[in-house]
Every structure is written in C-alpha cells, then in structure tokens.
Amino acid sequence: MADYKEFLDSINRKLYHEGEWRWQEGEYTVTRSHQYTAPGCHNSCGILLYTKDGKLEKVEGDPLNPFNNGKLCMRCQNLAEAVNHPDRLKYPMKRVGEKPKGLKTWD
Ligand code: SF4
C-alpha cells in the first residue's frame, strides 16, 4: 500500500492552485468543485472542470481533495462526453397528445 503522507507531500500544491476555486490555465478556465454524477453517486468527489468558451472540455480529479485524492470513477471521467452529447436532454419535455392507455407513469 502506498504511503499516504508521502503522497500528500509529493503534491505540487502551487501547481494545483491551493486555496483558489477558479483560475486560467492556457486556453482553459479551471474550476474547482465537487460532483455527483448519475446514476447513484452519493460521494461528492473533488473535481477540476476545464472549460473553454463556456463548454466543458475535460475533467480531472482534484489531488488536493482529501476525500478522493485526485481519483475519479468512470462516471465523472466521462462527464464531458455526457454533458456535451447531442442526445442529452437539456430541457423538460412536454407530452404532445393524449397519454397512452395503460401507461403507468405519472402525468
Ligand atoms: S468520481 Fe464517481 S464517486 Fe466520485 S463524485 Fe464522481 S461519480 Fe461520484
């Protein structure tokens, strides 16, 4: 097992802008945040969101977050793809026409 103190000491805190929540990194705006990505996440890992021209381009785990120490599971690793997918529903949908008979969902 890795030495946790050694890991903490090895992090370049200046490089990861300790104490800041947003900074510029080349063409990217980097925002430090916490995330819950569906389905079923209850963890709120620390995440760095890289956006360019208002669009999420990539993500990284936040190595300064003591909960996940820079690691992300596949749900958050694929966040940019999910957010930018052309089939993603962005607005509530409204049914057109009558509700089909026998459908057991809410109105
Ligand atoms: S990395 Fe996984 S566990 Fe952590 S917040 Fe994202 S979805 Fe949840």
Side-chain angles (χ1 to χ4, degrees), residues 1-5 7-11 13 16 34 44-48 60-72:
M1 178 178 238
D3 183 329
Y4 189 58
K5 181 171 179 352
F7 167 76
L8 290 177
D9 291 344
S10 73
I11 298 172
R13 295 176 177 274
Y16 286 101
H34 295 87
S44 189
C45 294
I47 192 168
L48 302 176
E60 282 181 4
D62 184 356
L64 301 186
N65 185 290
F67 177 70
N68 59 313
N69 298 130
K71 299 173 199 71
L72 296 174

Side-chain angles (χ1 to χ4, degrees), residues 26-96:
E27 56 192 347
Y28 294 107
T29 300
V30 186
T31 304
R32 169 170 283 128
S33 188
H34 295 87
Q35 185 66 30
Y36 299 92
T37 299
C41 174
H42 302 277
N43 287 334
S44 189
C45 294
I47 192 168
L48 302 176
L49 303 152
Y50 290 75
T51 54
K52 186 165 61 174
D53 300 325
K55 180 182 176 191
L56 181 64
E57 296 275 340
K58 62 179 183 174
V59 300
E60 282 181 4
D62 184 356
L64 301 186
N65 185 290
F67 177 70
N68 59 313
N69 298 130
K71 299 173 199 71
L72 296 174
C73 76
M74 290 306 293
R75 289 176 290 194
C76 271
Q77 287 182 30
N78 290 332
L79 195 57
E81 183 182 341
V83 165
N84 296 316
H85 196 280
D87 292 340
R88 176 176 162 238
L89 296 180
K90 296 178 184 168
Y91 309 100
M93 297 180 74
K94 188 173 181 181
R95 181 178 48 246
V96 176

